[in-house]
Amino acid sequence: DACDNARHQVFMRGQDANGNFGVAASAWVTSSAAVLPSICALSVEPSVATTETLVTISTTVSTSLPISITAAELQVDSSDFVSNVITMTAIDGGANSALEVFTGTIDAGLLPIGVHTATVRGITSNSAYTPTGEIVFVVLPPGYARVWLPVISQ
């Protein structure tokens, strides 16, 4: 599922009593989904939109039972969650389990042309908020069908 454990490479080096550092070493560690509740997945479609387009933000939110995810919300170009909060909809029709998928729709025509950041958070049955997740999308003027970005390799 979207909240599977993740592997991370950690780098470390020791320091002796004289302040000298040793050779760096690394180790792989696996983080568990114990950091809960959390945003496990976040996507935007389309990532490049025109002012005639609706933008859909999707997220997977997870916690551990007996606590459930009861809601998710998003904001565009703000993260105070005080005004202009968009309530997201649970895909299964009811937010009531430990793992929920939500979507929220943004009318790109209501946004200025440029780069925007959607900030998302989930809410649990005990009224705790997840850490936020962010994803970026672009709004272009009407008539743009595609954008090509050059890839430069060295």
Side-chain angles (χ1 to χ4, degrees):
D1 79 30
C3 294
D4 284 342
N5 296 338
R7 286 187 48 137
H8 305 278
Q9 189 172 18
V10 179
F11 293 88
M12 63 207 97
R13 61 184 184 161
Q15 182 179 22
D16 66 20
N18 295 325
N20 300 312
F21 287 95
V23 178
S26 68
W28 285 93
V29 295
T30 302
S31 65
S32 70
V35 182
L36 296 171
S38 61
I39 300 290
C40 305
L42 190 55
S43 65
V44 60
E45 182 62 37
S47 59
V48 178
T50 65
T51 54
E52 302 116 343
T53 309
L54 294 178
V55 175
T56 300
I57 306 292
S58 299
T59 188
T60 301
V61 186
S62 177
T63 190
S64 58
L65 293 172
I67 298 168
S68 61
I69 300 298
T70 58
E73 54 193 16
L74 72 91
Q75 279 190 303
V76 177
D77 298 330
S78 179
S79 60
D80 61 6
F81 289 95
V82 174
S83 61
N84 300 316
V85 177
I86 299 170
T87 301
M88 300 181 80
T89 303
I91 295 294
D92 65 4
N96 55 8
S97 67
L99 182 73
E100 289 287 346
V101 178
F102 294 90
T103 62
T105 303
I106 302 162
D107 183 348
L110 300 176
L111 299 173
I113 293 166
V115 178
H116 298 279
T117 302
T119 303
V120 176
R121 71 178 180 183
I123 305 168
T124 68
S125 56
N126 64 349
S127 300
Y129 293 102
T130 66
T132 58
E134 294 182 338
I135 195 160
V136 174
F137 63 97
V138 177
V139 175
L140 297 174
Y144 280 81
R146 296 189 188 274
V147 174
W148 284 272
L149 301 173
V151 176
I152 301 170
S153 60
Q154 298 178 343

